[in-house]
Amino acid sequence: MKPAFSVIFLTTLIGAGQGLLIALTAGQLYAGGGSGGFYALGGALALALLCLGLVASVFHLSNPQRGWRAATRWRTSWLSREVILLPVLCGLVFLYAVIHAFGWAPVVIRLGNGATLDLPLVLGLLATLASLALFVCTGMIYACVRFIRQWASGWTVVNYLMMGLASGFTLAAAYAQLQDNALAGFLAGSAVLLTLLALATRAFQLWRNATGQPRSTLKSAIGLHHSQIRQVTQGFMGSSFNTVEFVAPGGAETVKGLSVFFLAVGFVAPAALLLAGLPVLAFLCQFVGLLAERWVFFAAGSHVQNLYYQARG
Amino acid sequence: MSKKQLALVIDLNVCVGCHACVTSCKEWNTSGWAGPLPDLNPYGADPNGVFFNRVQTYECGTFPDTETIHFPKSCLHCEEPPCVPVCPTGASYKREEDGIVLVDYDKCIGCKYCSWSCPYGAREFDPVQGVMKKCTLCVDRIYDKTLEEDRRKPACVLACPASARIFGDINDPNSEAAKAIRDNGGFQLMPEWGSKPANHYLPRRKTTTTLHPDELVRVDNPLKAEGEKPRPAFTTPTIDGASSW
C-alpha cells in the first residue's frame, strides 16, 4: 500500500499523546495522588500532540469541509468511532490539565478500604480509558481490512497500543527529567520495559507476515481453474488509481531496509538511551523510528486486488 | 433471496476483448449522473483516468497449448458489500430497492477507506472532485422512462457487439440473467471472502477439435508442389490477381 504521510503522523502523534497521558496517570497512581503544575503541563503537552494529530488527519481527506460527516456511522465504521473518540479525549485532557493547573482536588469516590479517589485522578483514569479505547479504534481501522493480510489480525491493535505506550512513557520520562520530577526514574524504567515489549510484539508481527500465505490466488480472482494462468495486459497503458494506491514506492528492498532501521532506531536504541539516562534523546530517536515503522506497516501491506494488476501494458 | 438484485452476467466464452464496453461506459458516465470522469495527461506518456469498467487479458497454459481469456471487471454490486460498512460518512450505500451499490458524492470525504475494503479493486478515486467513484450500473439509464424499453440497460450491455453481457435481476428466477447463471454454471469472483458479488461470470466452455493427419494435407495437390507459380514470359498477357508477381 502507498504510505499516507498524514496517517503516519496522525497515528504516531496521537499514540505518543495517549501514551503520555496514561504515563502521567500511572505516575499519579504510583506517587499516590498529587496534583499541580507537573501534571497540568504534561496534560497540555498530550493535548498538543493530540491536536497536532488531528491537524495531520485533515490532510488525509480530499474534502475536509465535510469531515464532520465522518462521525455519523459509528455503528459500523471504526474510522467513524475514531473520529468521535479523538475530540472526546481532547476534551477530557483539557479538563485534566485545567483541574491540575488549579490544583482543585476534591474527593470524588471513597473506596471500601478507606482509600479515596480525587477529581484529578478520576479524570486521569477516565482519560486513560478513553485513550485505550482510541488505541483499539485506531488499530481496528487497519485490522478490519480483511483484504490486506498483513494488517488483518489482532496484532495490529496490540502493536498500536504497545508502540503508543512505549513512546508515551519515554516522552513522560524525558519530560519528568526536564522538570526534575521525582517520577523520572519510575517513568524511565516503565518506558524501557514497554519499549522492549513493543519490540517483541512488532517483531512477532514481522515474522507472522513473512511466513503467512495469501488466501486468494489468480485462480479464484478470475474464476479460471487452470494451473498456469498469467496476465497478458491490464487493459490500459498508463497508470490508474489501482496501480498507484495499492503499491508501495521503493519496493521490497526499501521495506526490508527500513524494517531493520525501525527495529534498531525505534526500539533497541531508545531502550539503551533510556538505560543510559538520556530520555530526551531516547524519545527523539524513538519517534523517528516509529515514523519509519508506520511507513513500513503501510508499505508491507499487500492488497488482494493486486492480483488483477500483475502485468503492465 | 426475494429481494431484487440487479446485476451483470458476463460470458467469458463470448467476450472478445474489444473494449467497446469500456469506451461506451466512459462516454455515458462521464456525461451522466456520475461524471465527469477525469482523464489526466491523456496524450502524454503516462495517462491516468477514472474508468468504471476495464477489460484485462489473461493467458493460460503453455505455448502452443494456450488459451486467451478476456476478462471485463467492474463493480460487482456485492450482496454483502465490504466497502459499505467501513464508510465513516455513509456516502457508500447499497440501495434497498434494487441492490445497486452507489456513492453519494456530496457526502464522500475522500478518505479512500472503501477502496481498501474492496477485494476486487472496483473503486477508483477521482482526484479532481476528491471523491470515490465506481460503476453505477447506469442507474441513470435503466430507469429513464424517456428511453425505449429495450434501451433501458447499462451502456456496456448495449455496446457489447458479441452480446457477452446480460443485465437483469439475478434474484428473479425467470430473468434472462438468472437463467444464464443457472443454465451455464455462472460463478462469482473470489467467493472465499463472503462478499457474495451480484455480478456473475459464465465459465469458458471447453471446445475440442479432432484433427486427423490427412486433414492437414491438401488433397488437391497430390504432388506436394507448393512454392511460387512459374514466372511467365514477359509478353504473356497478365490478369491481376491470377498472377503470382
Side-chain angles (χ1 to χ4, degrees):
Chain A
M1 301 292 286
K2 192 178 90 181
F5 281 97
S6 49
V7 179
I8 291 176
F9 279 103
L10 162 75
T11 53
T12 46
L13 285 169
I14 65 170
Q18 289 159 259
L20 172 61
L21 207 70
I22 295 173
L24 288 173
T25 312
Q28 234 176 314
L29 280 172
Y30 176 75
S35 189
F38 174 73
Y39 294 105
L41 195 59
L45 188 57
L47 185 61
L49 286 170
L50 292 171
C51 290
L52 277 176
L54 259 178
V55 171
S57 74
V58 167
F59 287 98
H60 189 63
L61 305 181
S62 305
N63 284 300
Q65 78 280 7
R66 302 174 188 156
W68 60 272
R69 286 186 185 275
T72 53
R73 292 296 153 129
W74 54 272
R75 280 194 189 84
T76 57
S77 174
W78 283 104
L79 183 52
S80 201
R81 289 168 197 164
E82 188 194 41
V83 166
I84 295 171
L85 212 48
L86 190 47
V88 168
L89 180 62
C90 286
L92 276 174
V93 180
F94 178 74
L95 279 179
Y96 175 86
V98 168
I99 295 285
H100 270 300
F102 286 108
W104 192 44
V107 171
V108 182
I109 300 167
R110 225 173 267 283
L111 297 176
N113 59 359
T116 56
L117 291 178
D118 56 11
L119 185 61
L121 191 55
V122 168
L123 272 175
L125 290 172
L126 277 178
T128 297
L129 272 183
S131 295
L132 292 175
L134 186 54
F135 274 125
V136 174
C137 287
T138 311
M140 278 308 290
I141 288 174
Y142 304 94
C144 78
V145 181
R146 293 179 291 151
F147 312 111
I148 303 171
R149 66 174 178 84
Q150 288 86 351
W151 298 2
S153 83
W155 289 101
T156 301
V157 181
V158 170
N159 283 324
Y160 270 75
L161 174 68
M162 290 316 301
M163 284 182 272
L165 287 179
S167 61
F169 270 78
T170 310
L171 176 59
Y175 169 62
Q177 197 197 42
L178 289 176
Q179 295 277 312
D180 219 4
N181 194 284
L183 282 173
F186 161 74
L187 290 170
S190 314
V192 172
L193 278 180
L194 286 165
T195 298
L196 292 177
L197 210 57
L199 169 66
T201 56
R202 189 64 177 94
F204 177 79
Q205 192 187 30
L206 279 180
W207 171 82
R208 180 188 168 277
N209 288 346
T211 51
Q213 288 299 319
R215 191 169 172 189
S216 290
T217 59
L218 200 46
K219 269 193 212 183
S220 68
I222 65 170
L224 208 74
H225 297 282
H226 196 286
S227 55
Q228 288 161 306
I229 316 172
R230 67 182 187 94
Q231 188 163 23
V232 179
T233 163
Q234 297 175 4
F236 50 95
M237 308 294 277
S239 57
S240 75
F241 173 71
N242 294 301
T243 60
V244 176
E245 175 73 7
F246 298 93
V247 175
E253 285 303 305
T254 316
V255 170
K256 223 174 217 173
L258 271 178
S259 299
V260 176
F261 175 80
F262 86 68
L263 286 175
V265 176
F267 302 104
V268 179
L273 285 168
L274 279 166
L275 287 172
L278 298 165
V280 179
L281 215 55
F283 175 72
L284 294 176
C285 173
Q286 185 163 52
F287 196 77
V288 171
L290 290 187
L291 289 177
E293 185 281 331
R294 226 28 65 91
W295 196 95
V296 168
F297 174 77
F298 267 97
S302 58
H303 198 284
V304 169
Q305 76 103 35
N306 287 347
L307 283 173
Y308 293 110
Y309 298 92
Q310 296 186 342
R312 202 179 154 83
Chain B
M1 280 302 276
S2 57
K3 257 202 243 164
K4 192 174 173 185
Q5 173 65 63
L6 296 180
L8 295 172
V9 178
I10 298 167
D11 194 340
L12 294 181
N13 208 49
V14 175
C15 178
V16 291
C18 71
H19 289 246
C21 54
V22 179
T23 49
S24 67
C25 166
K26 180 88 167 182
E27 186 278 328
W28 175 262
N29 283 299
T30 204
S31 50
W33 182 84
L37 307 179
D39 272 311
L40 308 174
N41 194 21
Y43 304 106
D46 187 28
N48 186 327
V50 173
F51 287 78
F52 291 169
N53 178 45
R54 295 186 189 260
V55 179
Q56 308 186 321
T57 302
Y58 295 86
E59 185 182 69
C60 66
T62 34
F63 181 82
D65 298 316
T66 56
E67 207 173 327
T68 306
I69 297 99
H70 300 291
F71 178 79
K73 179 168 66 71
S74 56
C75 171
L76 305 166
H77 299 279
C78 300
E79 305 227 25
E80 301 286 343
C83 54
V84 168
V86 300
C87 177
T89 66
S92 270
Y93 63 104
K94 185 173 176 70
R95 294 183 9 146
E96 278 293 317
E97 62 266 38
D98 54 17
I100 300 180
V101 178
L102 290 177
V103 181
D104 184 338
Y105 303 141
D106 294 331
K107 283 185 183 169
C108 178
I109 52 173
C111 68
K112 301 180 185 169
Y113 197 19
C114 56
S115 70
W116 296 359
S117 297
C118 171
Y120 308 104
R123 291 174 165 253
E124 298 201 7
F125 186 70
D126 178 342
V128 177
Q129 272 176 273
V131 297
M132 194 57 76
K133 295 197 166 172
K134 57 174 278 302
C135 161
T136 66
L137 219 53
C138 283
V139 70
D140 51 343
R141 247 201 103 85
I142 58 180
Y143 293 109
D144 189 348
K145 291 273 160 55
T146 63
L147 293 173
E148 282 174 49
E149 200 162 347
D150 63 339
R151 305 293 295 169
R152 291 180 210 157
K153 287 177 179 175
C156 58
V157 175
L158 293 171
C160 182
S163 300
R165 287 166 172 262
I166 305 165
F167 167 70
D169 176 9
I170 57 159
N171 284 349
D172 170 10
N174 296 319
S175 74
E176 196 192 348
K179 274 183 195 156
I181 295 170
R182 202 165 57 227
D183 297 345
N184 300 306
F187 64 89
Q188 296 169 316
L189 302 183
M190 297 201 270
E192 63 269 27
W193 296 107
S195 54
K196 297 187 196 157
N199 280 12
H200 280 66
Y201 286 79
L202 303 183
R204 300 275 297 177
R205 277 189 290 277
K206 204 76 192 161
T207 45
T208 49
T209 39
T210 315
L211 276 178
H212 297 289
D214 59 329
E215 287 177 285
L216 296 170
V217 182
R218 274 176 61 183
V219 286
D220 59 347
N221 186 17
L223 297 178
K224 309 276 187 298
E226 306 291 347
E228 293 224 331
K229 290 176 188 168
R231 191 183 176 94
F234 183 71
T235 50
T236 312
T238 63
I239 308 162
D240 277 348
S243 55
S244 64
W245 65 92

